[in-house]
Amino acid sequence: MLQNWFILLPEICLVSFLVVAWLTELLREEKTAKTFYSIAQFFLLASLSSTILFYNKSAFPYLWQNSSFTTLFKTFVYLLAWAWFYLSSKWFLNKNRPSLKFYSICFGLLFSFSILASSSSIITLALIIPIICYLHYLLILRHWDIERVRTTASTYAWCSTLFCILLFVGVSIIYFQTESFEYLKIKQYLLMNKTYTFQFLLGILFILSCFMFLMAIVPFHHWFVAFVSNGVLPVCGFITLVPPLIYLCAFINLISKCLAPLSNFIVPLISIFATLSIIIGALSSNRETNIRRLFGYLSIYCLSFAIIGLQNFSDKSIIASFAYITIAILSLTGVYTVFLSLKSRGDYLSEVNSISGFYTMRPYMSAALLVFMFSLIGLAPTLGFFGYLSVINNLVSSNEWFRVTLLLGSLLFVAGACLQIVRIIYFESPTTKFDRTDKSIYICLFINVLFILISLINPAWLLHDALVILGGIS
């Protein structure tokens, strides 16, 4: 029993933050956004350390099971969350806003993400995903000002309720058919039975559609795009950057360890969703005047690119998709860091036209944004080139020429959207006087740019250990 408590230390650290943070709120008179960030930093790093320490141990293996694979994803997510919490604290200090609820909801999500990533049972999915949806709803409401965000939150609440119901129905159908909730037992059932009823396939479809909704894949993307164009930066950045890695991890786990025998049914199905998302994401980004909405579509494009690269969920395709999505999120993190500098008279700007001539006033910031966009469209010598190459090379080796053509063609439209921003920043006259940028943002940008440009030296070393870990997932 005592051993189980030690194994649960990562989750205990995340929950402990909530207790300590709220006690600080009640007992301490002088507190700022930096106060709660300092507390968050301690418990997040403690959770990260214990996650690595107990990477292959599980207290409840029949519900969720840790492995090198899940630990890799969690490690990236915790580091990403730590970096974004630090940057978010600057926003809260600048706007003089209370940050306790933001950090509390985010830690609740990180706790839920930890369980979701390691899920080894469909009942775990059915229980934890509704909690994630509810916390997402609360996080979307952390805006305080704009009524449109409340409308978006209401729409998200109704849609998430519908998909959670579909998830429950899908899990119930699979249980009654297989008489088990565990991934491995369901996989054994599927291997022994080669014919499946319409109801069983419908249950699989319901579960997959719930994942597509969580990942904001077309046609379930409207809530995400509507929010990122109106929401506050800390919340928009967290929802855009942190959840995708966990959702992709849980999705790969579900398919590889549970539904792999149904790959002939699943792969074409998710390919349709991913293809639509790539087309809509690439085309829609070209006509956007809201820079956050533009990069919202690009984030949908990037996640869909990773999904379509999964192909048949082989070792090579999983490695390629992981490499791509990690690099893409690293680039998007840099973009959102630049967003924190797009400030005039205390207000954070979001319209593309408002940053015209940005280069003349913030040359280093503009250069950093240029590097991040080049990485997003896969231009050498940025690390993004390595990400795109890993996916496309894997598809070429499998003779998936239609997908290769689709991805390369869509990339031209993504490049067009990025070049539009380049034109406005570098070749138009400035119309806005920008506020002074915090030095810590420059430091974060410098570190991020170093990672993005690391392919100038040797891109393989950055992901070498990750590739070894991912090699045995399927």
Side-chain angles (χ1 to χ4, degrees):
M1 186 66 182
L2 182 61
Q3 181 183 6
N4 286 346
W5 285 107
F6 279 110
I7 295 172
L8 289 173
L9 194 57
E11 288 76 21
I12 292 173
C13 288
L14 295 173
V15 174
S16 298
F17 164 81
L18 301 177
V19 177
V20 174
W22 283 95
L23 285 175
T24 302
E25 173 71 13
L26 291 173
L27 302 177
R28 184 171 178 174
E29 294 184 2
E30 296 183 5
K31 46 191 175 289
T32 65
K34 191 174 181 180
T35 302
F36 295 110
Y37 162 70
S38 300
I39 300 172
Q41 176 184 233
F42 172 80
F43 284 101
L44 190 57
L45 293 179
S47 182
L48 171 61
S49 302
S50 52
T51 297
I52 297 173
L53 182 63
F54 301 111
Y55 72 96
N56 61 345
K57 299 184 182 297
S58 305
F60 307 103
Y62 48 88
L63 292 176
W64 70 85
Q65 191 166 13
N66 297 317
S67 64
S68 300
F69 173 76
T70 59
T71 300
L72 178 65
F73 276 89
K74 290 180 185 179
T75 299
F76 272 92
V77 164
Y78 289 148
L79 290 173
L80 191 62
W82 173 77
W84 187 247
F85 286 164
Y86 172 73
L87 291 168
S88 297
S89 67
K90 306 300 178 183
W91 186 94
F92 284 106
L93 288 171
N94 177 262
K95 302 292 286 187
N96 195 26
R97 297 284 194 179
S99 62
L100 173 62
K101 291 184 178 179
F102 168 75
Y103 287 121
S104 298
I105 296 171
C106 288
F107 265 77
L109 280 168
L110 290 173
F111 172 84
S112 303
F113 289 158
S114 176
I115 296 173
L116 179 65
S118 302
S119 175
S120 60
S121 168
I122 55 175
I123 193 64
T124 305
L125 298 180
L127 295 176
I128 204 66
I129 286 179
I131 296 174
I132 290 174
C133 290
Y134 177 68
L135 292 172
H136 257 147
Y137 168 74
L138 294 180
L139 195 59
I140 291 173
L141 283 177
R142 292 296 96 209
H143 191 284
W144 305 281
D145 294 330
I146 299 179
E147 187 64 32
R148 285 177 296 178
V149 173
R150 294 188 177 275
T151 303
T152 302
S154 178
T155 303
Y156 175 82
W158 283 105
C159 291
S160 61
T161 301
L162 171 62
F163 282 99
C164 286
I165 292 173
L166 291 179
L167 175 64
F168 275 114
V169 173
V171 167
S172 300
I173 291 173
I174 293 176
Y175 175 76
F176 286 124
Q177 188 80 28
T178 64
E179 298 184 351
S180 177
F181 289 118
E182 295 183 43
Y183 283 0
L184 294 180
K185 291 183 178 180
I186 295 173
K187 187 175 183 178
Q188 291 174 358
Y189 173 88
L190 295 175
L191 290 171
M192 294 174 61
N193 297 270
K194 301 300 181 181
T195 57
Y196 316 105
T197 63
F198 172 78
Q199 291 87 348
F200 185 80
L201 294 178
L202 191 63
I204 299 296
L205 178 61
F206 286 164
I207 294 176
L208 293 178
S209 64
C210 185
F211 269 96
M212 295 299 107
F213 170 75
L214 287 175
M215 292 188 283
I217 299 300
V218 174
F220 315 119
H221 65 295
H222 296 289
W223 70 268
F224 174 75
V225 174
F227 176 70
V228 296
S229 59
N230 297 315
V232 294
L233 271 175
V235 178
C236 290
F238 186 87
I239 289 179
T240 301
L241 303 173
V242 177
L245 274 173
I246 291 297
Y247 294 152
L248 191 64
C249 174
F251 187 64
I252 293 173
N253 249 346
L254 175 65
I255 305 300
S256 301
K257 296 183 178 179
C258 180
L259 304 178
L262 288 174
S263 58
N264 290 336
F265 169 71
I266 293 174
V267 172
L269 189 64
I270 62 175
S271 293
I272 294 173
F273 286 115
T275 300
L276 285 174
S277 298
I278 285 174
I279 295 172
I280 297 299
L283 295 179
S284 298
S285 61
N286 275 270
R287 57 183 179 83
E288 283 300 330
T289 58
N290 184 298
I291 193 169
R292 296 188 200 172
R293 192 179 180 94
L294 187 153
F295 279 100
Y297 276 114
L298 289 185
S299 66
I300 293 173
Y301 171 87
C302 291
L303 187 54
S304 304
F305 199 107
I307 290 174
I308 206 170
L310 286 171
Q311 195 181 331
N312 56 356
F313 290 84
S314 64
D315 289 349
K316 289 183 179 180
S317 62
I318 292 174
I319 289 171
S321 292
F322 173 81
Y324 170 78
I325 195 62
T326 302
I327 294 167
I329 289 179
L330 190 63
S331 303
L332 285 170
T333 302
V335 170
Y336 268 87
T337 305
V338 173
F339 285 172
L340 288 167
S341 69
L342 302 180
K343 185 175 60 174
S344 178
R345 297 179 181 178
D347 293 326
Y348 289 86
L349 307 174
S350 59
E351 293 300 316
V352 173
N353 291 333
S354 65
I355 62 172
S356 60
F358 187 55
Y359 169 75
T360 60
M361 307 184 72
R362 295 288 186 274
Y364 299 114
M365 200 71 65
S366 301
L369 181 59
L370 191 65
V371 171
F372 298 137
M373 289 191 295
F374 281 175
S375 182
L376 281 174
I377 61 178
L379 284 182
T382 63
L383 198 56
F385 174 76
F386 174 73
Y388 277 95
L389 185 64
S390 62
V391 172
I392 293 175
N393 182 58
N394 182 60
L395 292 175
V396 169
S397 64
S398 303
N399 294 320
E400 296 284 346
W401 296 109
F402 171 76
R403 296 186 185 187
V404 171
T405 304
L406 171 69
L407 296 181
L408 292 177
S410 64
L411 198 53
L412 295 175
F413 290 95
V414 173
C418 292
L419 288 175
Q420 174 192 354
I421 299 177
V422 172
R423 176 183 59 82
I424 292 174
I425 290 177
Y426 281 88
F427 300 103
E428 292 195 2
S429 302
T431 58
T432 307
K433 185 177 181 180
F434 295 94
D435 295 349
R436 183 182 178 183
T437 302
D438 194 298
K439 291 182 179 179
S440 59
I441 294 179
Y442 280 104
I443 294 173
C444 291
L445 281 175
F446 178 74
I447 296 172
N448 202 330
V449 167
L450 281 182
F451 275 107
I452 295 297
L453 293 176
I454 202 68
S455 56
L456 284 169
I457 306 171
N458 182 10
W461 77 269
L462 183 63
L463 294 172
H464 178 267
D465 291 337
L467 302 186
V468 173
I469 292 170
L470 289 166
I473 179 59
S474 61

